Amino acid sequence: MKAFILFFLSVLFTVFLSSCESNFKEVQKIHYTEFVPTGEADNFNLKYTDSGRIKSILVSPKMLDYATVDYPFTEFPKGVNVTMYDNRGQRTFISSDYAVTFKGTDIIDLQKNIKIYNEKGQQLETEQLYFDQKNEWFFTEKKYKFTDPNGVSYGEGVDFSKDFSIVNSQRISGAINRAE
């Protein structure tokens, strides 16, 4: 009889363990979230206006919108080309191979082969650059190359206004001719 009770308890225990494993897998599935975009656009072209004036134009081959995740963001996996206009109609051009903007932060993270230049012949190249949309201010801690009609400089870490009228470099080297 003891053997039968031990056999019955071991079978019952085995059934109990196998049912727990099955439930555990179901519980794991509850916490699984699929990370897919809620919106997707090809050949995306956005014109931002303020008081009837075009302020910027963003063009990208692909846009992915992740609006329903905990920290919503919009991704441009194939890069962006942006044209920004100041109040006098002067343009600043920006291109990068990848970009992402996090909703609620007003910060755009540009990555890979970034070039930003204006009609005055000033150009900055780097591998990562952030743009604060609210303050119209760029910044990076990465290495960069800055070219303008007076020369070329290299550095690591810089922040500047969208029209290059204010440039704050951290570590810089190169030769710049003084404007006379």
Side-chain angles (χ1 to χ4, degrees):
M1 189 69 164
K2 282 185 179 182
F4 177 73
I5 292 175
L6 285 174
F7 175 74
F8 179 73
L9 288 175
S10 64
V11 169
L12 186 62
F13 185 71
T14 305
V15 169
F16 175 73
L17 284 179
S18 65
S19 68
C20 287
E21 184 178 329
S22 175
N23 288 342
F24 182 69
K25 288 181 181 177
E26 292 300 316
V27 169
Q28 283 180 323
K29 287 180 184 177
I30 291 171
H31 294 292
Y32 177 76
T33 57
E34 197 159 324
F35 201 70
V36 294
T38 53
E40 185 173 336
D42 291 322
N43 300 316
F44 184 75
N45 187 329
L46 174 71
K47 291 180 175 86
Y48 173 72
T49 61
D50 186 12
S51 303
R53 299 178 89 173
I54 293 178
K55 295 300 234 173
S56 62
I57 300 171
L58 184 146
V59 177
S60 178
K62 182 162 240 24
M63 185 221 43
L64 302 172
D65 187 30
Y66 294 89
T68 60
V69 298
D70 287 341
Y71 302 100
F73 64 97
T74 303
E75 180 181 38
F76 300 92
K78 295 184 178 180
V80 294
N81 287 301
V82 179
T83 304
M84 298 171 61
Y85 297 87
D86 68 12
N87 293 335
R88 298 180 313 268
Q90 296 293 310
R91 296 177 297 175
T92 300
F93 305 96
I94 306 154
S95 66
S96 72
D97 290 349
Y98 176 85
V100 63
T101 179
F102 295 92
K103 299 199 187 304
T105 66
D106 290 329
I107 301 290
I108 298 173
D109 180 3
L110 303 159
Q111 298 176 22
K112 301 178 191 164
N113 299 315
I114 296 121
K115 291 184 181 165
I116 176 169
Y117 60 97
N118 61 22
E119 295 173 313
K120 298 175 195 171
Q122 297 169 306
Q123 177 175 293
L124 185 124
E125 299 171 68
T126 187
E127 287 302 307
Q128 185 170 29
L129 187 66
Y130 297 99
F131 179 60
D132 178 344
Q133 297 175 83
K134 182 179 177 183
N135 297 307
E136 297 185 329
W137 199 259
F138 290 94
F139 57 97
T140 186
E141 293 297 319
K142 301 288 185 185
K143 292 181 179 181
Y144 67 89
K145 175 184 176 184
F146 181 71
T147 306
D148 78 355
N150 295 320
V152 177
S153 62
Y154 300 88
E156 189 172 341
V158 66
D159 62 283
F160 55 95
S161 60
K162 73 176 184 178
D163 62 355
F164 294 112
S165 62
I166 301 171
V167 178
N168 300 312
S169 298
Q170 294 176 19
R171 291 170 290 285
I172 188 169
S173 64
I176 303 289
N177 296 326
R178 293 183 63 180
E180 309 247 354

